[in-house]
Amino acid sequence: MDDQDKQPRRNSARHSIIARDAAALAQLGHKQELKRNFSMISMLGLAFAILNTWTALAASISLALPSGGPSAVIWGLIVAGICNLCLAASLAEFLSAWPTAGGQYHWAAIVAPRKWSRAVSYVTGWINVSGWVALTATGGLLGSSFVCNIIALLHPEYVYEAWHQFLIYIGFALLALVINAFSTRLLPLFTKAAFFWSLAGFVIISITILACASPNYQSGKFVYGQFINEVGWPDGLAWLLGLLQGAFALTGFDAVAHMIEEIPQPEIRGPRIMLWCIGIGMGTGFVFLSCLLFCVDDIDTVISSPAGPLLQIFMDATGNSSGSVCLLMFPLVCMVFTSTTLMTTSSRMSYAFARDRGLPFSHVFARVHPGLDVPLNALLWTAAWVVVFGCIFLGSTSTFNAITSASVVALGVSYGIPPLINVLRGRKMLPPRRAFRLPGPLGWVMNLVGIAWTILTTVLFVFPPEIPATSENMNYCIVAFGVILMIAGLTWIFDGRKNYKGPHVNVEGLEQGKVGGIEAVLERPIDDESKAVAESRE
């Protein structure tokens, strides 16, 4: 009888929380249209599936090995992890104050001076939408690469053709679209499975390769201290360029912000998930990379292997092609999860921006399908761009790589804009009472470290990976990112400055501290810091 009494109480409490969250979202100018189906674990699973740090690090290990060697691979991850934690903590403050799917562009609109608010918000939104749409293509790219690597290992006579990988890439995109469109109610279970599958793969692979490679390990000096420079840049710059592997593997932690309208108690849970996914990624990535490097036979063979670096290391450890392919099934399935969750998040970002009339044909992309409970048109928009990027890959792999690199730069820039504005305005723009708050000096330090990291990685990502630079190895990322900025500027001139009004925040609620996660001060008078927030909006 007691259990029967508890269940209705739990349901009543949940409905009460969801109703309160819907009211808080209304203060931010938006109606609750998406279902809050995600739990803490399922949303953490989504965020971690997108970072997929240990898999991303393993798949991109050939980027850092010639540019700094094992020392850049291992310690570059730690540097990238600490700096990204600072950046994530800076954004977590905004998320706890204003938990809306718009994320960075919404926050930039609120904290920027009124004169520049719409323009800054609009450009931030376009950068973020572009970054997420392009990043969605990386899931299918890595997944299709794994499949081609397996074929190359098992069939040495196989001759690679770009259209082979293109068809597999399209398969990943279509699978992600179908899951997102027709199984939205199952997505929380899907992302839970992604989280536990990834952790299980990390543990099983780490133990297996260490056991199989015993006792033929590399030395600790090699794994944690070996420096290699085969890129032609000065040693210090070569090592810094090796940081990009870690930066790439920890990009996308803002996913929880764009999914925040689908989880109860977003002002509390959102910041925790944002920080936990980076912490878990950094920890698993450090251990996994250490295991891989202890089992490497020859660095040059790993870098140049037609089977790819990860599969080659598995071969070095196990000496068995069938066993290596079985181990690769873990990261391969992870890429199915990653492709799906990337499309989920990208569609929510596009939906949120369209909801504020930031995209052309916004009324189309802002619709939520009444039967499927998903922004179906935004999903189709994302999937269409993924296919377009795949067609570009058919014609030019360097152009496709530039687009995916530009996506990482774009997301990094969008991460830095809200905290930069807040710092320039004396860190006085956030509501004083919020669920997550960085205390005085710590807040300044973490904000400044995060902003500096954004500037550093933005500059490094546009460097040619090696010199002398040629048309083949040139980094065209700056061109692709320039196109993003040009599109944002042109759409602002011809459409945005007339139609984009920015997020419709309840100004009275904002001044009173009545938005997002600050229910505790609903009835309290405005204090000095709250007045400063309101006055500085003028």
Side-chain angles (χ1 to χ4, degrees), residues 19-262:
R20 188 206 64 184
D21 293 338
L25 184 61
Q27 290 281 357
L28 293 171
H30 295 300
K31 179 183 177 182
Q32 181 75 55
E33 294 183 285
L34 301 172
K35 305 294 184 183
R36 295 188 183 267
N37 291 327
F38 283 82
S39 66
M40 186 81 171
I41 292 294
S42 58
M43 188 62 77
L44 178 61
L46 180 140
F48 188 66
I50 286 175
L51 263 66
N52 210 13
T53 304
W54 65 269
T55 302
L57 287 167
S60 59
I61 195 170
S62 58
L63 297 177
L65 283 176
S67 187
S71 67
V73 171
I74 294 290
W75 302 115
L77 171 64
I78 299 303
V79 172
I82 292 172
C83 293
N84 271 294
L85 273 175
C86 292
L87 195 54
S90 301
L91 292 181
E93 287 195 294
F94 287 87
L95 182 59
S96 69
W98 304 300
T100 168
Q104 293 93 303
Y105 82 83
H106 195 117
W107 306 331
I110 294 175
V111 301
R114 189 178 297 275
K115 180 180 179 182
W116 303 103
S117 176
R118 285 198 310 130
V120 170
S121 171
Y122 188 82
V123 172
T124 303
W126 261 103
I127 291 173
N128 206 4
V129 166
S130 303
W132 269 105
V133 169
L135 189 68
T136 306
T138 62
L141 174 67
L142 290 178
S144 59
S145 296
F146 284 150
V147 175
C148 291
N149 291 342
I150 292 172
I151 297 172
L153 178 67
L154 299 180
H155 302 279
E157 73 284 358
Y158 167 70
V159 178
Y160 169 83
E161 296 284 351
W163 65 268
H164 299 167
Q165 186 170 352
F166 171 75
L167 293 177
I168 302 168
Y169 168 92
I170 295 299
F172 273 86
L174 291 178
L175 179 60
L177 175 62
V178 169
I179 292 173
N180 273 286
F182 302 108
S183 304
T184 184
R185 292 175 181 83
L186 299 178
L187 270 179
L189 296 176
F190 185 85
T191 57
K192 277 185 185 179
F195 183 59
F196 293 118
W197 177 270
S198 183
L199 291 181
F202 156 71
V203 173
I204 292 170
I205 294 174
S206 299
I207 293 174
T208 301
I209 60 174
L210 286 177
C212 292
S214 178
N216 301 314
Y217 299 131
Q218 291 283 357
S219 67
K221 181 179 179 181
F222 170 84
V223 172
Y224 299 110
Q226 182 72 24
F227 176 80
I228 298 172
N229 182 2
E230 297 179 355
V231 295
W233 290 107
D235 288 350
L237 183 55
W239 195 91
L240 286 175
L241 289 173
L243 289 174
L244 299 182
Q245 182 202 16
F248 168 72
L250 293 170
T251 293
F253 56 79
D254 61 319
V256 63
H258 307 308
M259 297 293 297
I260 202 67
E261 294 175 23
E262 298 176 55

Side-chain angles (χ1 to χ4, degrees), residues 18 28 40 47 68 158 169 175 185 265 338 403 462 474 479:
I18 290 177
L28 293 171
M40 186 81 171
Y158 167 70
Y169 168 92
L175 179 60
R185 292 175 181 83
Q265 297 179 297
T338 299
I403 292 171
V462 301
M474 179 60 187
V479 178

Side-chain angles (χ1 to χ4, degrees), residues 280-343:
I280 296 172
M282 186 166 59
T284 55
F286 180 83
V287 173
F288 191 71
L289 286 176
S290 297
C291 293
L292 290 181
L293 291 172
F294 272 117
C295 298
V296 166
D297 276 349
D298 180 72
I299 287 288
D300 292 331
T301 302
V302 168
I303 294 173
S304 60
S305 173
L310 182 57
L311 197 51
Q312 183 59 50
I313 294 175
F314 289 169
M315 278 293 296
D316 289 348
T318 64
N320 184 282
S321 57
S322 298
S324 300
V325 170
C326 287
L327 290 179
L328 196 67
M329 288 299 105
F330 283 102
L332 180 58
V333 174
C334 280
M335 296 321 301
V336 174
F337 289 127
T338 299
S339 298
T340 304
T341 51
L342 281 170
M343 189 170 288

